[in-house]
Amino acid sequence: MVEWITSPGLTPYPDAVAAMETRADAIFRGEAGEAIWLLEHPPLYTAGTSAKPADLTDPERFDVFETNRGGQYTYHGPGQRVAYVMLDLSKRGRDVRLFVQNLEAWVIATLAEFNVTGEIREGRVGVWVPRPEKAPLPDGSPAEDKIAAIGVRLRKWVSFHGLSINVEPDLTHFEGIVPCGISDQGVTSLVDLGLPVTMGDVDDALKRTFSEVFD
């Protein structure tokens, strides 16, 4: 059984990383079960293992944390649901590519609960929402906005870090970075799309759809 943990308020990023690493080690040793941890962070930027310094365009805006998850720069803050995923892949096939695909599928299934069509794009990390009502890009391609980010780390086949879904964050906070290294597309949220969705609604959807993908 996967344990679901929901933390109220805003969890400091260093505290979350320390807790994840402790839980992941305990899972590997067989001393704890798998867990999904739902939380929010105060406004901050994280730099994944592929982050490029030039993509941090406003380094004084918020605290910046280097992290050992994959990916580039990501924003976390109030109004964004972060789901840290601590699963034992040694019991789930030891297929990293499939694991990331499952995380993407989980996000897409969660968005579908609100009639939002999330899509993935080759060469772009995360989940995207087509925005046909916006002007196309200079090259004529349609506008798309990112609504969810994914970045994971494995240690001894136990995962930690995970994903984030924009529920109702301050979208101007993304302006201090080039999110995930992609400068020609925008960022959106469920509320920005006109949906009166609460964090509790998203949590319920995450729990409903998890078993469709992972169990």
Side-chain angles (χ1 to χ4, degrees), residues 25-43:
D25 286 342
I27 293 170
F28 171 74
R29 295 193 302 269
E31 298 171 359
E34 297 178 313
I36 307 293
W37 185 12
L38 305 176
L39 53 80
E40 293 174 80
H41 286 304

Side-chain angles (χ1 to χ4, degrees), residues 29-58:
R29 295 193 302 269
E31 298 171 359
E34 297 178 313
I36 307 293
W37 185 12
L38 305 176
L39 53 80
E40 293 174 80
H41 286 304
L44 58 92
Y45 299 129
T46 64
T49 55
S50 301
K52 301 174 183 177
D55 287 344
L56 180 61
T57 59
D58 189 356

Side-chain angles (χ1 to χ4, degrees), residues 36 85 87 89 92 98-106 163 209-215:
I36 307 293
V85 181
L87 299 178
L89 268 64
R92 293 177 176 268
L98 177 61
F99 176 58
V100 173
Q101 291 173 344
N102 283 342
L103 291 175
E104 293 170 339
W106 183 26
L163 58 89
T209 57
F210 179 82
S211 60
E212 298 175 9
V213 178
F214 285 99
D215 289 346

Side-chain angles (χ1 to χ4, degrees), residues 27-205:
I27 293 170
F28 171 74
R29 295 193 302 269
E31 298 171 359
E34 297 178 313
I36 307 293
W37 185 12
L38 305 176
L39 53 80
E40 293 174 80
H41 286 304
L44 58 92
Y45 299 129
T46 64
T49 55
S50 301
K52 301 174 183 177
D55 287 344
L56 180 61
T57 59
D58 189 356
E60 305 302 321
R61 188 165 191 171
F62 299 124
D63 289 337
V64 181
F65 297 93
E66 292 188 4
T67 181
N68 55 12
R69 62 154 175 81
Q72 301 185 40
Y73 279 103
T74 299
Y75 167 76
H76 292 311
Q80 182 189 72
R81 174 50 86 213
V82 175
Y84 286 136
V85 181
M86 290 158 280
L87 299 178
D88 187 354
L89 268 64
S90 68
K91 300 177 180 177
R92 293 177 176 268
R94 296 196 179 196
D95 188 331
V96 178
R97 183 184 295 270
L98 177 61
F99 176 58
V100 173
Q101 291 173 344
N102 283 342
L103 291 175
E104 293 170 339
W106 183 26
V107 171
I108 290 170
T110 298
L111 296 175
E113 294 278 300
F114 307 104
N115 295 315
V116 172
T117 300
E119 300 177 357
I120 57 173
R121 293 290 181 264
E122 186 70 29
R124 283 198 241 147
V125 180
V127 178
W128 299 79
V129 177
R131 302 300 301 272
E133 73 278 14
K134 289 188 173 184
L137 300 182
D139 65 0
S141 60
E144 298 177 330
D145 287 342
K146 189 171 188 175
I147 196 168
I150 294 172
V152 293
R153 171 82 172 178
L154 295 180
R155 180 180 296 166
K156 300 174 181 176
W157 289 106
V158 178
S159 68
F160 53 109
H161 296 288
L163 58 89
S164 60
I165 298 175
N166 297 333
V167 182
E168 192 179 8
D170 185 337
L171 296 178
T172 66
H173 289 180
F174 288 87
E175 295 171 0
I177 58 172
V178 178
C180 298
I182 299 166
S183 59
D184 60 350
Q185 302 285 0
V187 181
T188 191
S189 69
L190 289 167
V191 171
D192 181 55
L193 293 172
L195 300 169
V197 177
T198 68
M199 198 67 71
D201 295 332
V202 172
D203 291 349
D204 290 342

